[in-house]
């Protein structure tokens, strides 16, 4: 039973591995752990991440004073400290500043809400008048449409009386006749308005003439 299983295992390893490999476990590394690797920053072969204060801070954090790094050299300069403080104020505000910003934002949102409510209330107060104006405009538009329809029917009836039963409203003769009739209607309307003004003037003159002279005393001329 063991022999077929061993053959199967050998064939499976031959299929999965491109070369034969021995199954073993490497021993843990025991050399070089008690030494501190500190590359020379002046060496061209030294990597960039092995240079600078960041790597020295890592060495000091891992090995302490045995790393040979002076801890005071890791402290930022006054210019760097000011830049760090500025960045912290901008991106990491204090709790009091965050509360003040939240309070100001809440006040702004409340003010906008009140303004929106006032606007809605004002529009609702204007709503009856706006609805009435809309209804009046719609009524006037319908009346104008009816008047225009009646005018066209009247002009068409006049055209049929003048040119016969079969008349096209798009013909040149019909359009000319419409223009002539419109001119006549405008003249008649002007004549009616003129007559109304003359009648109003005559009525006013008759009223003034009927007022007794006592109502209009003569001026007193002193000698």
């Amino acid at each position: 039973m063991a022999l077929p299983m061993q053959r199967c295992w050998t064939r499976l390893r031959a299929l999965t591995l491109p070369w034969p490999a021995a199954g073993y476990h490497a021993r843990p590394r025991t050399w070089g752990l008690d030494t501190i690797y500190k590359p020379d920053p002046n060496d061209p072969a030294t990597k960039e991440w092995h240079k600078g204060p960041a790597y020295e801070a890592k060495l000091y954090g891992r090995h302490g004073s045995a790393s040979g790094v002076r801890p005071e050299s890791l402290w930022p300069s006054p210019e760097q400290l000011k830049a760090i403080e500025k960045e912290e104020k901008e991106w990491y505000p204090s709790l009091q500043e965050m509360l003040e910003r939240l309070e100001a934002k809440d006040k702004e949102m409340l003010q906008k809400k009140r303004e929106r409510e006032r606007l809605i209330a004002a529009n609702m107060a204007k709503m009856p008048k706006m609805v009435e104006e809309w209804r009046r405009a719609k009524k006037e538009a319908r009346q104008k449409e009816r008047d225009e329809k009646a005018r066209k029917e009247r002009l068409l009836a006049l055209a049929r009386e003048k040119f016969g039963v079969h008349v096209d409203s798009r013909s040149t003769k019909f359009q000319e006749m419409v223009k002539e009739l419109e001119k006549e209607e405008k003249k008649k309307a002007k004549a009616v308005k003129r007559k109304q003004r003359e009648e109003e003037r005559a009525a006013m003159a008759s009223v003034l003439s009927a007022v007794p002279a006592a109502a209009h005393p003569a001026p007193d001329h002193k000698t």
Side-chain angles (χ1 to χ4, degrees):
M1 185 68 181
L3 186 60
M5 291 295 296
Q6 186 177 2
R7 290 177 180 176
C8 182
W9 177 251
T10 305
R11 291 178 181 178
L12 181 62
R13 288 177 62 84
L15 291 175
T16 55
L17 296 177
W19 59 84
Y24 70 96
H25 298 282
R27 290 181 301 174
R29 176 181 173 183
T30 57
W31 52 272
L33 295 179
D34 55 344
T35 59
I36 299 174
Y37 175 69
K38 189 174 181 181
D40 185 8
N42 298 322
D43 188 1
T46 303
K47 305 297 182 182
E48 291 296 328
W49 56 84
H50 286 164
K51 300 178 182 179
Y55 185 73
E56 291 184 354
K58 185 183 293 184
L59 286 177
Y60 186 82
R62 180 176 297 174
H63 304 285
S65 59
S67 63
V69 179
R70 294 182 299 114
E72 61 271 14
S73 64
L74 303 177
W75 191 257
S77 63
E79 292 78 11
Q80 293 175 346
L81 189 60
K82 289 181 181 179
I84 293 172
E85 291 177 353
K86 183 179 179 181
E87 183 180 359
E88 287 181 353
K89 288 182 179 180
E90 182 177 0
W91 296 102
Y92 305 99
S94 63
L95 179 60
Q96 183 65 26
E97 291 178 356
M98 288 191 291
L99 291 175
E100 291 177 356
R101 291 179 184 178
L102 290 174
E103 186 178 359
K105 188 175 181 180
D106 292 340
K107 288 182 179 179
E108 184 181 359
M109 292 178 63
L110 182 60
Q111 182 67 22
K112 289 182 178 180
K113 182 180 179 181
R114 290 177 178 174
E115 290 178 358
R116 184 169 64 254
E117 290 176 352
R118 284 197 295 267
L119 180 61
I120 292 173
N123 291 335
M124 292 300 294
K126 296 177 183 178
M127 185 63 68
K129 184 178 179 181
M130 294 171 64
V131 171
E132 185 64 26
E133 291 179 354
W134 175 77
R135 289 177 177 173
R136 184 172 62 252
K138 191 173 181 180
K139 185 178 180 180
E140 291 177 355
R142 286 198 299 264
Q143 184 62 35
K144 186 177 180 181
E145 185 178 355
R146 286 194 294 267
D147 295 342
E148 184 67 20
K149 185 177 180 181
R151 187 181 72 87
K152 288 182 178 180
E153 291 178 354
R154 181 169 53 82
L155 292 175
L156 186 59
L158 292 174
R160 286 174 178 174
E161 291 179 0
K162 187 173 182 180
F163 300 108
V165 179
H166 302 287
V167 61
D168 187 5
S169 59
R170 296 171 296 179
S171 62
T172 306
K173 292 182 179 181
F174 181 79
Q175 297 295 332
E176 292 177 354
M177 187 199 70
V178 169
K179 291 180 181 179
E180 292 295 331
L181 291 174
E182 288 178 349
K183 289 180 181 179
E184 292 180 2
E185 287 180 355
K186 289 181 181 180
K187 288 180 181 179
K188 289 179 181 179
K190 288 181 180 179
V192 171
K193 290 182 180 179
R194 192 183 304 112
K195 186 177 180 181
Q196 289 178 355
R197 286 196 296 267
E198 291 176 356
E199 290 177 353
E200 290 175 358
R201 292 195 192 99
M204 184 63 69
S206 61
V207 170
L208 293 176
S209 62
V211 176
H216 302 279
D220 187 9
H221 298 284
K222 294 183 180 180
T223 57

